[in-house]
Amino acid sequence: MNSAAFQSGSVVRRGGGRPGRRAVSGAGPVLVTGAASGIGRHFALTYARRGVPVAALDIDAEGLAGLPGHPCLHAFPCDVSDATVLDRTVQEAEAVIGTPNRVVHSAGIARVGRLLTQPLADIERLTRVNYLGSVQVARATVPWMAGAGGGGLIIVASIAGWVPMTSVGAYSASKAAVVAMAEVLARECAGSGVRVVCVCPPAVETPLLTRMQRDHPDVVSDAPGILPEEVLRAAERGLVKGRTLVFPGRGTTMLWRARRLAPLQVTRLLEAVLLKRTSAGRAAGGAPGSALGDASDRGRAAS
């Protein structure tokens, strides 16, 4: 099934089942992108250990090969930024695990740099993987779920999509595009049986966060992030409650609300805290930190 299943701006649902029932059951097959590391890895292993068939997708074939062996876990090397490869891989996965009733899109990348000097190739890659990759995953999987009676699409975005910071401007912009896309998609899927949840976490404890803290101590805070399990719990609660946006982590929802009410003030406050912490770190002879660290897991979707 492909985008032809979309008619008149909405998804056409085929098959029985009350809209949303299949989305929240979590009992059927699951497809996870960015499954070789971080948040995507945690989702894939958690569902497999629940006895659910899982298709684990990632561009990192070596990382997929390093996943713990489990009879419910099936690895499929795939670059989500390549629509042709993604469509073919989703069809191959469907033939192995069946039509997924849940899709977790965690694949993405991060690049640090100031907008006027960051290589244009980096900015283009961020857009192609983070935003267009999200669009392509939705186009490749939502019609399948709708045709089977429904399902749930979990998209991992970032609080950085709501609270932009210097030195990660292109990344923030790509995640803001993902958030907007998810909100529109949720409306377009109304009545299809497919629920869309966009998860916007703060820093998450992943290997990527550790690398960014090491490589960019002046940008990425050395404070510990939340655990991937918190992201999973928030996403599943969002599916059950029918929420499109969820904000795991203490204070994340408050930060989102404050940003909506006073965007410039909140951004300036965070920048001031960043400068204060950086100065304090240098004065103490330690590594400088930031007020807002790596805001989501990239799932090692691309190098």
Side-chain angles (χ1 to χ4, degrees):
M1 186 177 295
N2 52 34
S3 58
F6 288 75
Q7 297 179 6
S8 301
S10 63
V11 183
V12 177
R13 184 166 66 95
R14 300 182 179 89
R18 190 168 52 200
R21 176 182 296 174
R22 194 169 184 269
V24 302
S25 70
V30 178
L31 184 147
V32 181
T33 72
S37 180
I39 293 175
R41 183 180 190 273
H42 180 79
F43 270 86
L45 293 180
T46 297
Y47 286 124
R49 288 165 181 162
R50 291 178 183 176
V52 174
V54 176
L57 278 61
D58 203 296
I59 196 173
D60 183 2
E62 183 177 346
L64 287 176
L67 292 174
H70 195 285
C72 290
L73 193 62
H74 308 273
F76 297 88
C78 176
D79 182 354
V80 300
S81 70
D82 187 323
T84 301
V85 171
L86 177 61
D87 286 341
R88 182 174 66 247
T89 304
V90 169
Q91 292 180 29
E92 293 172 353
E94 195 271 346
V96 174
I97 68 169
T99 301
N101 83 329
R102 185 166 298 176
V103 173
V104 180
H105 176 47
S106 179
I109 59 171
R111 294 288 187 270
V112 172
R114 300 180 72 87
L115 290 171
L116 296 183
T117 56
Q118 187 172 21
L120 185 59
D122 280 2
I123 297 175
E124 291 176 338
R125 183 66 175 158
L126 283 163
T127 302
R128 187 163 62 253
V129 174
N130 293 351
Y131 171 57
L132 291 179
S134 298
V135 173
Q136 288 162 185
V137 167
R139 290 167 67 97
T141 61
V142 170
W144 282 99
M145 290 190 288
L153 172 62
I154 297 171
I155 300 174
V156 180
S158 170
I159 192 62
W162 292 96
V163 185
M165 296 286 290
T166 56
S167 297
V168 288
Y171 170 74
S172 291
S174 72
K175 288 298 185 177
V178 171
V179 171
M181 183 276 291
E183 289 191 276
V184 172
L185 182 63
R187 293 174 61 87
E188 292 183 353
C189 287
S192 71
V194 177
R195 289 185 179 179
V196 178
V197 174
C198 184
V199 191
C200 303
V204 180
E205 282 296 315
T206 65
L208 180 61
L209 176 59
T210 301
R211 291 195 300 273
M212 293 188 70
Q213 289 171 330
R214 179 195 64 209
D215 297 342
H216 304 283
D218 57 329
V219 176
V220 182
S221 172
D222 58 0
I226 67 173
L227 298 177
E229 173 61 26
E230 295 183 61
V231 181
L232 186 150
R233 287 199 303 265
E236 293 190 328
R237 284 197 303 268
L239 280 177
V240 172
K241 296 182 178 180
R243 293 176 178 170
T244 301
L245 300 173
V246 294
F247 300 89
R250 183 179 180 181
T252 311
T253 299
M254 184 180 299
L255 180 61
W256 168 66
R257 289 173 177 165
R259 166 68 180 172
R260 293 183 66 193
L261 294 174
L264 292 179
Q265 290 87 338
V266 170
T267 300
R268 287 169 181 165
L269 175 62
L270 287 174
E271 293 284 4
V273 173
L274 168 61
L275 293 175
K276 181 178 180 180
R277 289 191 61 179
T278 299
S279 299
R282 286 173 178 161
S290 70
L292 185 65
D294 176 26
S296 77
D297 179 44
R298 256 55 59 185
R300 295 171 71 184
S303 58

